[in-house]
Amino acid sequence: SFLLKLENKTKRKLQKQICQVVLDHFEKQYTRELGDTWTNVRDVLTYPLCWQYAVLLNKFSQSAELENTLHVKGYHPAFQGPLPYLPASLKCYIRRTPGRFPAQKHQAGKLKEYYLLNAASLLPVLALEVKDGEDVLDLCAAPGGKSVAILQCAYPGNFHCNEYDDLRSRWLKKTIESFIPDPLTNLIMVSKLDGTQIGDLKPELYDKILVDAPCSNDRSWLFSSDIQQATLRLIQRKELSFLQFQLLRSAIKALRPGGSLVYSTCTLSKAENSDVINLILNSCTNVMPVDISEMAKAVSQEFTFLSGTQQHELLVLPEKGRAWGPMYVAKLKKM
Protein backbone atom coordinates (compact mmCIF):
# COMPACT_ATOMS: atom_id res chain seq x y z
CA SER A 1 0.00 0.00 0.00
CA PHE A 2 0.96 3.64 -0.44
CA LEU A 3 1.24 4.23 3.33
CA LEU A 4 3.60 1.32 3.77
CA LYS A 5 5.80 2.63 0.95
CA LEU A 6 5.83 6.06 2.56
CA GLU A 7 6.72 4.56 5.93
CA ASN A 8 9.60 2.60 4.43
CA LYS A 9 10.86 5.69 2.65
CA THR A 10 10.87 7.59 5.96
CA LYS A 11 12.65 4.67 7.60
CA ARG A 12 15.32 4.68 4.90
CA LYS A 13 15.79 8.40 5.39
CA LEU A 14 16.19 7.89 9.14
CA GLN A 15 18.50 4.96 8.59
CA LYS A 16 21.29 7.32 7.62
CA GLN A 17 24.33 5.74 6.03
CA ILE A 18 26.77 4.36 8.57
CA CYS A 19 30.37 5.27 7.87
CA GLN A 20 32.21 1.94 7.74
CA VAL A 21 35.68 3.45 8.36
CA VAL A 22 34.49 4.92 11.65
CA LEU A 23 32.57 1.82 12.68
CA ASP A 24 35.62 -0.40 12.09
CA HIS A 25 37.78 1.96 14.15
CA PHE A 26 35.25 2.04 17.02
CA GLU A 27 34.77 -1.73 16.80
CA LYS A 28 38.49 -2.32 17.46
CA GLN A 29 38.89 0.27 20.20
CA TYR A 30 35.63 -0.22 22.09
CA THR A 31 35.68 -4.02 22.02
CA ARG A 32 39.05 -3.66 23.74
CA GLU A 33 37.87 -1.04 26.24
CA LEU A 34 34.28 -2.08 26.95
CA GLY A 35 34.21 -5.79 26.13
CA ASP A 36 30.73 -7.29 25.74
CA THR A 37 29.08 -4.02 26.75
CA TRP A 38 30.09 -2.52 23.40
CA THR A 39 27.75 -4.82 21.42
CA ASN A 40 24.63 -3.36 23.09
CA VAL A 41 25.92 0.19 22.84
CA ARG A 42 26.78 -0.28 19.16
CA ASP A 43 23.24 -1.52 18.44
CA VAL A 44 21.82 1.76 19.77
CA LEU A 45 24.39 4.10 18.23
CA THR A 46 24.03 2.61 14.75
CA TYR A 47 20.21 2.58 14.78
CA PRO A 48 18.81 6.17 14.91
CA LEU A 49 15.24 4.85 14.95
CA CYS A 50 15.69 3.92 18.62
CA TRP A 51 17.23 7.26 19.64
CA GLN A 52 15.40 9.36 22.22
CA TYR A 53 15.22 13.08 22.88
CA ALA A 54 14.48 14.86 26.12
CA VAL A 55 12.44 18.06 26.35
CA LEU A 56 14.06 20.72 28.56
CA LEU A 57 11.46 23.34 29.48
CA ASN A 58 12.38 27.02 29.39
CA LYS A 59 11.29 28.66 32.65
CA PHE A 60 11.52 32.09 30.99
CA SER A 61 8.74 31.17 28.57
CA GLN A 62 6.46 28.92 30.56
CA SER A 63 3.40 27.23 29.17
CA ALA A 64 1.06 25.08 31.26
CA GLU A 65 -0.34 23.77 28.00
CA LEU A 66 3.05 22.33 27.04
CA GLU A 67 3.37 20.36 30.28
CA ASN A 68 -0.14 18.94 29.77
CA THR A 69 0.68 17.93 26.19
CA LEU A 70 3.84 16.16 27.40
CA HIS A 71 1.91 14.26 30.08
CA VAL A 72 -0.72 13.21 27.53
CA LYS A 73 2.02 12.01 25.17
CA GLY A 74 3.46 9.79 27.89
CA TYR A 75 6.38 11.95 29.02
CA HIS A 76 7.53 12.00 32.64
CA PRO A 77 10.16 14.04 34.53
CA ALA A 78 13.68 12.77 33.81
CA PHE A 79 15.02 13.67 37.24
CA GLN A 80 13.21 12.80 40.44
CA GLY A 81 14.05 11.44 43.83
CA PRO A 82 16.98 12.06 46.13
CA LEU A 83 19.37 13.97 43.87
CA PRO A 84 21.97 15.98 45.81
CA TYR A 85 21.16 18.97 43.59
CA LEU A 86 17.90 19.40 41.69
CA PRO A 87 16.50 22.93 41.52
CA ALA A 88 12.70 22.96 41.23
CA SER A 89 13.08 25.33 38.28
CA LEU A 90 14.87 22.70 36.17
CA LYS A 91 12.23 20.73 34.32
CA CYS A 92 13.10 18.06 31.82
CA TYR A 93 10.73 15.47 30.35
CA ILE A 94 11.46 12.11 28.76
CA ARG A 95 9.58 9.00 27.69
CA ARG A 96 10.63 5.41 27.17
CA THR A 97 9.69 5.29 23.50
CA PRO A 98 12.02 6.54 20.75
CA GLY A 99 11.41 9.60 18.63
CA ARG A 100 11.60 13.33 19.06
CA PHE A 101 9.04 15.94 20.08
CA PRO A 102 8.54 18.47 17.23
CA ALA A 103 11.23 21.17 17.25
CA GLN A 104 10.22 24.83 17.57
CA LYS A 105 10.92 27.26 14.77
CA HIS A 106 12.85 30.42 15.56
CA GLN A 107 10.53 33.46 15.80
CA ALA A 108 12.04 36.91 16.14
CA GLY A 109 11.24 38.51 19.47
CA LYS A 110 9.67 35.35 20.87
CA LEU A 111 11.41 33.02 23.33
CA LYS A 112 11.32 29.29 22.67
CA GLU A 113 9.43 27.18 25.20
CA TYR A 114 11.73 24.15 25.17
CA TYR A 115 15.07 22.75 24.04
CA LEU A 116 15.45 19.22 22.66
CA LEU A 117 18.54 17.37 23.88
CA ASN A 118 20.11 14.13 24.98
CA ALA A 119 18.99 13.81 28.62
CA ALA A 120 22.48 12.69 29.64
CA SER A 121 23.86 16.11 28.73
CA LEU A 122 22.10 17.55 31.79
CA LEU A 123 24.18 15.39 34.14
CA PRO A 124 27.26 17.67 33.89
CA VAL A 125 24.99 20.61 34.83
CA LEU A 126 23.54 18.73 37.82
CA ALA A 127 27.06 17.75 38.88
CA LEU A 128 28.24 21.38 38.73
CA GLU A 129 25.64 22.48 41.33
CA VAL A 130 25.52 26.17 40.38
CA LYS A 131 24.06 28.42 43.10
CA ASP A 132 22.63 31.94 42.77
CA GLY A 133 25.28 34.64 42.65
CA GLU A 134 28.21 32.40 41.74
CA ASP A 135 30.57 33.39 38.92
CA VAL A 136 30.35 30.71 36.27
CA LEU A 137 32.33 29.91 33.12
CA ASP A 138 31.09 27.58 30.39
CA LEU A 139 34.40 27.14 28.58
CA CYS A 140 33.30 25.40 25.36
CA ALA A 141 29.70 26.52 25.35
CA ALA A 142 28.30 25.99 21.83
CA PRO A 143 25.66 25.05 20.80
CA GLY A 144 24.42 26.37 24.15
CA GLY A 145 22.17 23.68 25.61
CA LYS A 146 24.18 23.37 28.82
CA SER A 147 24.37 27.17 29.22
CA VAL A 148 20.58 27.33 28.90
CA ALA A 149 20.26 24.49 31.43
CA ILE A 150 22.55 26.26 33.94
CA LEU A 151 20.29 29.31 33.74
CA GLN A 152 17.25 27.12 34.42
CA CYS A 153 18.94 26.12 37.69
CA ALA A 154 20.23 29.41 39.12
CA TYR A 155 21.07 33.05 38.48
CA PRO A 156 24.87 33.36 38.36
CA GLY A 157 26.51 36.61 39.48
CA ASN A 158 28.41 36.65 36.20
CA PHE A 159 28.00 34.06 33.49
CA HIS A 160 30.76 33.78 30.94
CA CYS A 161 29.97 31.63 27.87
CA ASN A 162 32.99 31.03 25.68
CA GLU A 163 33.27 29.38 22.26
CA TYR A 164 36.47 29.56 20.22
CA ASP A 165 35.05 28.28 16.95
CA ASP A 166 33.56 31.07 14.84
CA LEU A 167 30.61 29.18 13.35
CA ARG A 168 29.74 27.49 16.64
CA SER A 169 30.01 30.83 18.44
CA ARG A 170 27.28 32.27 16.21
CA TRP A 171 25.16 29.23 16.99
CA LEU A 172 25.70 29.83 20.73
CA LYS A 173 24.59 33.48 20.46
CA LYS A 174 21.45 32.41 18.62
CA THR A 175 20.62 29.82 21.29
CA ILE A 176 20.98 32.38 24.07
CA GLU A 177 18.78 34.84 22.17
CA SER A 178 16.14 32.14 21.65
CA PHE A 179 15.91 31.10 25.30
CA ILE A 180 17.05 33.88 27.61
CA PRO A 181 15.08 37.14 28.14
CA ASP A 182 16.71 40.51 27.62
CA PRO A 183 17.43 41.81 31.12
CA LEU A 184 19.09 38.48 31.93
CA THR A 185 21.28 38.43 28.84
CA ASN A 186 23.12 41.38 30.43
CA LEU A 187 24.52 38.92 32.99
CA ILE A 188 25.94 36.82 30.18
CA MET A 189 29.24 37.55 28.51
CA VAL A 190 29.76 35.68 25.26
CA SER A 191 33.37 35.50 24.08
CA LYS A 192 35.45 33.74 21.40
CA LEU A 193 38.67 33.27 23.37
CA ASP A 194 41.07 30.37 22.97
CA GLY A 195 40.01 28.15 25.88
CA THR A 196 43.60 27.04 26.52
CA GLN A 197 44.49 30.70 27.27
CA ILE A 198 41.60 31.62 29.55
CA GLY A 199 43.43 30.57 32.71
CA ASP A 200 46.17 33.12 32.02
CA LEU A 201 43.72 35.83 30.93
CA LYS A 202 41.32 35.38 33.84
CA PRO A 203 43.17 33.77 36.74
CA GLU A 204 41.12 32.64 39.79
CA LEU A 205 37.98 34.43 38.63
CA TYR A 206 35.28 31.74 38.73
CA ASP A 207 33.48 29.67 41.38
CA LYS A 208 32.25 27.04 38.94
CA ILE A 209 33.54 26.00 35.52
CA LEU A 210 32.07 23.60 32.99
CA VAL A 211 34.52 22.12 30.49
CA ASP A 212 32.31 20.35 27.96
CA ALA A 213 35.32 19.62 25.82
CA PRO A 214 35.59 19.16 22.05
CA CYS A 215 35.76 15.37 21.64
CA SER A 216 35.17 12.58 19.19
CA ASN A 217 31.40 12.69 18.96
CA ASP A 218 30.71 8.95 18.67
CA ARG A 219 27.06 9.38 17.73
CA SER A 220 27.56 11.79 14.84
CA TRP A 221 30.92 10.45 13.65
CA LEU A 222 29.31 7.10 12.87
CA PHE A 223 27.23 8.87 10.23
CA SER A 224 29.94 10.98 8.57
CA SER A 225 28.80 11.19 4.97
CA ASP A 226 32.24 12.21 3.75
CA ILE A 227 34.78 9.36 3.91
CA GLN A 228 37.75 11.74 3.64
CA GLN A 229 36.47 13.91 6.48
CA ALA A 230 35.90 10.77 8.58
CA THR A 231 39.40 9.46 7.90
CA LEU A 232 40.90 12.82 8.79
CA ARG A 233 38.86 12.92 12.02
CA LEU A 234 40.17 9.51 13.01
CA ILE A 235 43.77 10.62 12.41
CA GLN A 236 43.26 13.82 14.41
CA ARG A 237 41.45 11.91 17.15
CA LYS A 238 44.77 11.13 18.83
CA GLU A 239 45.44 14.85 19.33
CA LEU A 240 42.14 15.55 21.07
CA SER A 241 43.26 14.28 24.47
CA PHE A 242 46.14 16.77 24.51
CA LEU A 243 43.74 19.64 23.73
CA GLN A 244 41.37 18.40 26.44
CA PHE A 245 44.25 18.31 28.93
CA GLN A 246 45.24 21.88 28.00
CA LEU A 247 41.67 23.12 28.35
CA LEU A 248 41.39 21.52 31.79
CA ARG A 249 44.70 22.96 32.95
CA SER A 250 43.58 26.39 31.78
CA ALA A 251 40.22 26.01 33.54
CA ILE A 252 41.94 25.06 36.80
CA LYS A 253 43.96 28.30 36.63
CA ALA A 254 40.74 30.26 36.06
CA LEU A 255 39.09 28.65 39.08
CA ARG A 256 39.11 30.25 42.54
CA PRO A 257 40.52 28.14 45.35
CA GLY A 258 37.56 26.20 46.73
CA GLY A 259 35.84 26.35 43.35
CA SER A 260 34.82 23.29 41.39
CA LEU A 261 34.92 22.11 37.84
CA VAL A 262 33.03 19.55 35.79
CA TYR A 263 34.59 17.93 32.73
CA SER A 264 32.34 16.23 30.19
CA THR A 265 32.52 14.64 26.73
CA CYS A 266 30.10 12.75 24.49
CA THR A 267 32.51 9.94 23.65
CA LEU A 268 33.12 6.47 25.09
CA SER A 269 36.85 6.81 24.49
CA LYS A 270 38.99 6.13 27.57
CA ALA A 271 41.82 8.25 26.10
CA GLU A 272 39.55 11.32 26.14
CA ASN A 273 37.84 10.54 29.44
CA SER A 274 39.42 8.92 32.47
CA ASP A 275 42.93 9.08 30.97
CA VAL A 276 42.70 12.88 30.69
CA ILE A 277 41.32 13.21 34.24
CA ASN A 278 44.02 10.90 35.65
CA LEU A 279 46.68 12.95 33.89
CA ILE A 280 45.29 16.13 35.47
CA LEU A 281 45.07 14.56 38.94
CA ASN A 282 48.65 13.32 38.63
CA SER A 283 50.09 16.59 37.34
CA CYS A 284 48.11 19.27 39.23
CA THR A 285 48.71 19.05 42.94
CA ASN A 286 46.04 21.67 43.70
CA VAL A 287 43.02 19.66 42.51
CA MET A 288 41.08 16.87 44.20
CA PRO A 289 38.49 14.48 42.79
CA VAL A 290 34.90 15.02 43.99
CA ASP A 291 32.58 12.07 44.61
CA ILE A 292 29.52 12.18 42.29
CA SER A 293 28.31 8.64 42.97
CA GLU A 294 25.23 9.88 44.91
CA MET A 295 24.00 11.70 41.81
CA ALA A 296 24.62 8.63 39.65
CA LYS A 297 22.76 6.41 42.12
CA ALA A 298 19.78 8.81 42.19
CA VAL A 299 19.33 8.67 38.40
CA SER A 300 20.12 4.99 37.87
CA GLN A 301 16.45 4.28 36.98
CA GLU A 302 16.75 6.37 33.83
CA PHE A 303 20.43 6.01 32.88
CA THR A 304 22.75 3.07 32.38
CA PHE A 305 26.30 3.60 33.62
CA LEU A 306 29.52 1.76 32.88
CA SER A 307 30.42 -0.21 35.99
CA GLY A 308 33.85 -0.04 37.58
CA THR A 309 34.45 3.70 37.13
CA GLN A 310 35.81 5.75 40.02
CA GLN A 311 33.63 7.77 42.40
CA HIS A 312 34.48 11.12 40.81
CA GLU A 313 33.40 10.00 37.31
CA LEU A 314 30.62 8.32 35.39
CA LEU A 315 30.01 7.17 31.83
CA VAL A 316 26.46 6.93 30.48
CA LEU A 317 26.01 4.01 28.07
CA PRO A 318 23.13 4.13 25.58
CA GLU A 319 20.82 1.11 25.62
CA LYS A 320 17.40 0.45 24.03
CA GLY A 321 14.65 2.26 25.94
CA ARG A 322 17.32 4.35 27.68
CA ALA A 323 19.21 5.55 24.64
CA TRP A 324 20.94 8.43 26.48
CA GLY A 325 24.66 9.12 26.13
CA PRO A 326 27.44 8.45 25.52
CA MET A 327 28.27 11.03 28.17
CA TYR A 328 31.31 11.10 30.39
CA VAL A 329 31.24 13.31 33.50
CA ALA A 330 33.99 13.95 36.06
CA LYS A 331 34.15 16.48 38.90
CA LEU A 332 37.20 18.16 40.45
CA LYS A 333 37.72 20.75 43.18
CA LYS A 334 40.53 23.26 43.49
CA MET A 335 42.21 23.40 46.86
Side-chain angles (χ1 to χ4, degrees):
S1 77
F2 169 72
L3 273 176
L4 198 68
K5 270 190 191 139
L6 194 69
E7 200 176 70
N8 286 338
K9 194 178 162 187
T10 321
K11 267 198 171 153
R12 271 203 307 279
K13 223 165 123 179
L14 277 167
Q15 267 311 68
K16 300 178 277 196
Q17 278 302 293
I18 287 164
C19 181
Q20 200 58 47
V21 186
V22 176
L23 185 57
D24 292 345
H25 177 91
F26 283 1
E27 197 70 53
K28 272 206 219 46
Q29 181 184 346
Y30 294 150
T31 302
R32 195 175 63 241
E33 291 178 12
L34 302 168
D36 297 339
T37 314
W38 164 240
T39 318
N40 290 332
V41 172
R42 182 192 59 206
D43 289 350
V44 173
L45 291 182
T46 55
Y47 191 58
L49 288 173
C50 75
W51 293 4
Q52 290 159 278
Y53 295 85
V55 183
L56 173 67
L57 303 196
N58 185 12
K59 70 175 180 187
F60 304 112
S61 172
Q62 266 176 334
S63 138
E65 204 182 326
L66 174 61
E67 285 199 68
N68 289 336
T69 306
L70 287 166
H71 284 303
V72 169
K73 288 186 180 293
Y75 281 82
H76 63 273
F79 304 103
Q80 289 162 307
L83 272 137
Y85 171 85
L86 183 62
S89 53
L90 180 78
K91 289 185 177 178
C92 176
Y93 283 89
I94 58 176
R95 62 175 179 182
R96 281 271 188 252
T97 45
R100 93 166 58 204
F101 199 69
Q104 277 188 311
K105 292 266 185 290
H106 180 75
Q107 287 178 284
K110 195 168 187 281
L111 292 180
K112 291 189 179 184
E113 290 175 2
Y114 57 89
Y115 190 101
L116 299 177
L117 41 65
N118 184 325
S121 60
L122 292 175
L123 294 176
V125 174
L126 291 172
L128 197 58
E129 303 193 2
V130 174
K131 313 270 194 303
D132 287 349
E134 289 181 327
D135 295 325
V136 181
L137 166 64
D138 188 350
L139 188 63
C140 316
K146 293 184 183 70
S147 297
V148 167
I150 286 169
L151 289 166
Q152 301 305 313
C153 295
Y155 295 99
N158 293 297
F159 191 21
H160 181 178
C161 298
N162 183 68
E163 178 55 54
Y164 187 45
D165 182 86
D166 198 49
L167 193 69
R168 289 174 62 84
S169 175
R170 289 206 289 273
W171 192 1
L172 169 66
K173 282 197 175 114
K174 201 169 173 176
T175 302
I176 290 171
E177 278 165 24
S178 302
F179 287 90
I180 310 304
D182 256 351
L184 235 187
T185 45
N186 301 336
L187 284 183
I188 307 169
M189 176 172 108
V190 180
S191 67
K192 289 199 297 191
L193 300 166
D194 176 348
T196 62
Q197 306 295 312
I198 273 186
D200 294 323
L201 295 168
K202 302 187 178 288
E204 304 201 340
L205 206 68
Y206 304 98
D207 302 299
K208 301 275 163 81
I209 300 180
L210 175 63
V211 183
D212 185 41
C215 65
S216 3
N217 186 328
D218 295 358
R219 221 178 248 260
S220 68
W221 280 24
L222 275 167
F223 296 95
S224 315
S225 47
D226 180 344
I227 299 282
Q228 278 169 309
Q229 180 202 33
T231 314
L232 190 64
R233 273 176 172 172
L234 293 174
I235 293 165
Q236 291 170 337
R237 190 176 200 204
K238 295 179 185 63
E239 294 157 27
L240 278 168
S241 52
F242 182 59
L243 171 64
Q244 290 153 349
F245 175 76
Q246 286 180 300
L247 287 167
L248 271 172
R249 221 174 31 184
S250 173
I252 290 163
K253 281 185 188 170
L255 206 53
R256 292 191 179 122
S260 49
L261 170 158
V262 168
Y263 172 73
S264 60
T265 74
C266 51
T267 179
L268 298 159
S269 177
K270 189 171 162 290
E272 298 176 50
N273 294 339
S274 46
D275 286 359
V276 174
I277 291 296
N278 288 337
L279 198 58
I280 282 287
L281 288 170
N282 290 331
S283 60
C284 303
T285 49
N286 60 343
V287 287
M288 294 279 294
V290 178
D291 187 348
I292 54 170
S293 57
E294 280 303 307
M295 178 185 81
K297 206 161 76 204
V299 298
S300 59
Q301 286 302 141
E302 302 293 354
F303 298 92
T304 306
F305 298 106
L306 178 68
S307 59
T309 55
Q310 299 190 74
Q311 287 185 314
H312 61 272
E313 58 176 359
L314 58 87
L315 178 60
V316 180
L317 301 173
E319 62 169 39
K320 286 206 169 74
R322 301 195 282 193
W324 315 113
M327 178 61 57
Y328 175 79
V329 183
K331 187 170 185 179
L332 307 173
K333 186 181 173 116
K334 185 172 181 175
M335 304 321 286

